Amino acid sequence: MSKPVTEYQTRVYTLLQQIPQGRITSYAALARALKSSPRAVGGALRNNPFAPEVPCHRCIASTGFIGGFNGDWTKVPSGLNCEKKLKLLSEEGVAFDTKGMLLDKSCWWDEFRV
């Protein structure tokens, strides 16, 4: 049984839905928009029961690194969950190199309406 979604998670998921297909944002950009912390954003994304419709896969590290997905960060980019994230983003036209780094910096997006 899944946990109820908190007010904070709802705010994070609402902002995620603003990110256009083929664009990405960072945990830090979401945190700035929410006046929160990247770690708190990551916690909300780790528990996203609405993925991929609520596109947590469009959130990566501010360095351009693919980051985690479904709580799997340590094996990136070789972990199964991160392969799924890479596949979802690739299908949207967002490409990463073999080390999990974003190739096209024009994909960044942070025009959140709070």
Side-chain angles (χ1 to χ4, degrees), residues 5-74:
V5 175
T6 67
E7 181 181 330
Y8 179 77
Q9 289 170 316
T10 299
R11 291 175 56 216
V12 172
Y13 304 154
T14 298
L15 289 187
L16 280 173
Q17 293 178 81
Q18 295 178 21
I19 306 167
Q21 186 172 351
R23 304 295 294 275
I24 50 87
T25 196
S26 68
Y27 300 93
L30 273 168
R32 278 191 303 275
L34 293 164
K35 296 181 179 25
S36 181
S37 76
R39 191 170 295 254
V41 168
L45 299 185
R46 181 180 312 110
N47 296 305
N48 178 3
F50 310 111
E53 290 77 19
V54 173
C56 54
H57 62 279
R58 294 183 187 150
C59 188
I60 69 171
S62 58
T63 60
F65 186 61
I66 185 70
F69 190 61
N70 285 353
D72 181 7
W73 184 284
T74 57

Side-chain angles (χ1 to χ4, degrees), residues 86-100:
L86 285 166
K87 182 179 185 301
L88 287 167
L89 288 169
S90 174
E91 288 170 352
E92 294 183 8
V94 181
F96 293 82
D97 68 16
T98 58
K99 294 184 194 264

